[in-house]
Amino acid sequence: MNRRKAAIAAAGTIAAGALTAGLISVPSAVAEGGSTHARAGKHSGAAEARGVRKAAARAARAGIDWKDCPADWGLKDGVECGWVTVPLDYADPDGKKIKLAVDRARSTGGKEKRQGSLVYNPGGPGGSGLRFPNRIPDKNPLWAKAATAYDFVGFDPRGVGHSAPISCADPQEWVKAPKADPVPDSEADKLAQRKLAKEYADGCKERSGDLLAQMTTPNAARDLDVIRAALGDKKLNFLGVSYGTYMGAVYAELFPGHIRRMITDSVVNPSRKKIWYDVNLDQDVAFQTRWDDWKKWVAEHDDVYGIGSTPEKVEAKWRELRATAKKNPIGGVVGPAELLGFFQSAPYYDSAWASVASVWSAYLKGDEKPLIESAAPDMSDVAGNKASENGNAVYNAVECNDAKWPRDWKTWDRDNTRLHEKYPFLTWSNAWMNYPCAVWPLKQHDALEIRAKTSHPVLMIQATRDAATPYPGGVELHKRLKGSRLITERDAGSHGITNLKNPCINKRVDAYLLEGTVGAKDVTCAPHATPEPVGSAAKATAKAKAAAVPALVP
């Protein structure tokens, strides 16, 4: 799950030595597609199953040649980097190969406490997990206990970042602003957006080569198993956030016997009826709910921000801001689309509540600079713009390839027009984000049926008011993975909650990772602390970055 610009966010093993077949668990003949349900999807063919077995065996023999990380990767001292080779197409494991970038920080508890590697995916599709190992040298207190037992391992999934990156458009052109208002005023506006989506989808095919068709969640899950083998781990320890939960769910279906520990945080609804078109429609409703929560909070702190003393007054100011930016883009570059790209970080993350409100407050008091700096693209940041476009390309490639999408415009127009009436905050922006899938130039697969009994119970964590991955997704995956446990954070809605301070959740995550315990029954936890208002835009933004949680990218 991904949006054009989630402004306040953060990304983020047994090593080396000769590895022998006796120490490595290589998928058995039935490991992939081990249940009858797995065979319902198009991704679970015998050729791919043989291919991943062969690739994992090769990776186990090769291991990972850990070295100092490149200086421009932005990683801390103590983090090591390496590469894992995987097939481009698992049906042809001896054919073309690609290399996946991986990194790790070693566990802190010594050999006697070490339990293996904890592999991480932050979401997307299109998110890089390379910053996750930074939590060990940063001495992140929430992860200190887990760090005694696990090497923290991150990776760039196929097509992402340093792992054979794909592209759909020239990055500098793609980030240019202001863009058209996503809310259409006419049929001509809709037609113009559809034309842009078609050009973008065709650009994906033209710029991404053979890899584009192989950008699927099942292939990402197969890559994950090859990484497991290269790390020398008999079974996988995995933390997936947001889209990472769907990667984990697909892994559980394809490799149910390979799970040692798996945490899914902020869960994508895995139902074949939901992936991916309906998942995005469900987001529109949930984002509106969380947007309303934030407006209420802003109103409660009107003495700090001066935006409005009631949610209705805050909404009126928002509509006024949109109208102003539509008529005359702020600073010449911030129109309604750019505003939404910045403001939607508040429904995403509690950590962004104060910073978004502070930037808005500054604007109302006559200082446009914080809003322009927060919402407008930085054309001088060539590397950042390239990463942003790459993340967006991966998002579309994976979701468009994974499942069948409606191809007729009438369906999209009907559904989004209806939703926009009650849930206007995100609906049309979300529609245009995904519309390349309606005109996708490649074959679309049937989504994989997820329904498995795993070798160790999966721990799921979900907030009831999560906007990006609505709560029913966690309930649905809980039903589909036998023996799993669900921790519910009630009356809360921040996205990616394992990295937030909530002792009710934190202690259960530690117990699961260190001891494997899931408890006798599901648990409901009280919400984490509500954010405190911060009046200064600069202070609020700095505080938000310091508290940043796993992100949806770009």
Side-chain angles (χ1 to χ4, degrees), residues 107-128:
S107 59
T108 62
K111 187 175 181 180
E112 66 280 359
K113 290 186 178 181
R114 189 179 178 281
Q115 297 188 36
S117 308
L118 179 61
V119 185
Y120 173 78
N121 180 267
S128 168

Side-chain angles (χ1 to χ4, degrees), residues 87-370:
L88 175 71
D89 179 359
Y90 277 95
D92 182 18
D94 295 320
K96 187 175 180 180
K97 310 289 195 307
I98 58 175
K99 290 183 179 294
L100 306 182
V102 297
D103 66 342
R104 71 167 181 185
R106 291 177 182 268
S107 59
T108 62
K111 187 175 181 180
E112 66 280 359
K113 290 186 178 181
R114 189 179 178 281
Q115 297 188 36
S117 308
L118 179 61
V119 185
Y120 173 78
N121 180 267
S128 168
L130 290 180
R131 292 189 182 274
F132 175 67
N134 282 346
R135 295 181 188 184
I136 290 182
D138 282 345
K139 298 182 179 179
N140 185 311
L142 293 181
W143 295 94
K145 290 182 179 179
T148 64
Y150 295 94
D151 298 342
F152 284 10
V153 174
F155 70 104
D156 277 349
R158 61 171 53 209
V160 175
H162 306 289
S163 298
I166 65 168
S167 173
C168 294
D170 177 84
Q172 292 296 99
E173 290 297 317
W174 185 79
V175 301
K176 278 185 179 179
K179 292 179 168 48
D181 186 346
V183 178
D185 291 325
S186 64
E187 293 302 314
D189 288 347
K190 295 177 183 177
L191 187 60
Q193 292 280 10
R194 292 167 61 193
K195 182 180 178 182
L196 288 173
K198 180 66 165 61
E199 292 172 354
Y200 182 84
D202 290 343
C204 294
K205 185 177 181 180
E206 292 168 5
R207 296 172 67 93
S208 296
D210 294 341
L211 181 54
L212 186 65
Q214 302 299 327
M215 294 293 299
T216 67
T217 303
N219 275 343
R222 295 176 182 119
D223 291 343
L224 189 57
D225 202 58
V226 176
I227 291 171
R228 171 202 60 77
L231 290 167
D233 285 354
K234 184 177 180 180
K235 293 187 178 182
L236 177 72
N237 306 295
F238 180 70
L239 169 60
V241 183
S242 191
Y243 165 75
T245 68
Y246 187 61
M247 183 187 295
V250 171
Y251 185 92
E253 182 62 35
L254 296 181
F255 308 99
H258 283 199
I259 293 174
R260 182 179 180 275
R261 305 281 191 271
M262 180 177 287
I263 298 174
T264 59
D265 173 2
S266 305
V267 180
V268 171
N269 193 319
S271 167
R272 294 178 74 194
K273 295 179 180 179
K274 293 289 185 179
I275 297 291
W276 282 103
Y277 180 71
D278 279 53
V279 161
N280 283 281
L281 296 181
D282 290 346
Q283 277 189 326
D284 300 338
V285 178
F287 261 93
Q288 189 70 47
T289 298
R290 197 59 177 161
W291 171 251
D292 293 344
D293 290 346
W294 180 69
K295 289 186 300 182
K296 181 180 178 183
W297 180 86
V298 171
E300 290 171 350
H301 299 290
D302 191 48
D303 59 326
V304 177
Y305 300 115
I307 297 170
S309 58
T310 67
E312 292 76 18
K313 290 180 180 179
V314 175
E315 176 67 24
K317 284 292 186 181
W318 164 247
R319 292 175 184 265
E320 181 182 321
L321 178 62
R322 282 188 97 264
T324 297
K326 183 170 184 173
K327 185 176 181 179
N328 293 299
I330 300 164
V333 287
V334 178
E338 290 70 36
L339 285 176
L340 188 58
F342 171 61
F343 275 80
Q344 69 189 16
S345 58
Y348 255 120
Y349 306 116
D350 291 4
S351 62
W353 280 17
S355 60
V356 175
S358 296
V359 167
W360 192 5
S361 178
Y363 169 82
L364 292 174
K365 293 172 183 175
D367 185 3
E368 295 182 344
K369 185 178 178 181

Side-chain angles (χ1 to χ4, degrees), residues 387-508:
S388 181
E389 190 280 323
N390 167 242
N392 197 77
V394 174
Y395 169 87
N396 279 279
V398 172
E399 292 203 4
C400 295
N401 285 335
D402 264 1
K404 303 290 177 61
W405 290 73
R407 293 286 193 168
D408 60 300
W409 163 244
K410 289 182 179 179
T411 298
W412 290 74
D413 194 23
R414 178 200 67 209
D415 291 343
N416 288 282
T417 298
R418 173 179 54 83
L419 282 171
H420 178 76
E421 291 178 1
K422 290 185 177 181
Y423 314 104
F425 177 71
L426 191 70
T427 296
W428 276 113
S429 176
N430 203 4
W432 302 128
M433 178 74 189
N434 293 286
Y435 196 71
C437 295
V439 290
W440 195 241
L442 301 180
K443 176 184 178 181
Q444 294 178 327
H445 300 276
D446 292 324
L448 194 67
E449 178 74 5
I450 308 297
R451 205 175 293 275
K453 181 179 181 181
T454 57
S455 51
H456 191 80
V458 174
L459 183 66
M460 302 170 188
I461 305 169
Q462 193 80 18
T464 57
R465 301 180 75 80
D466 188 340
T469 51
Y471 183 72
V475 175
E476 186 67 24
L477 184 60
H478 184 27
K479 293 177 182 176
R480 290 168 176 265
L481 295 185
K482 190 172 182 180
S484 61
R485 287 287 179 267
L486 175 63
I487 299 174
T488 297
E489 187 183 30
R490 63 173 172 80
D491 302 327
S494 200
H495 189 66
I497 54 181
T498 51
N499 207 38
L500 299 178
K501 186 177 179 180
N502 185 332
C504 178
I505 295 173
N506 305 145
K507 68 181 182 181
R508 288 177 168 83

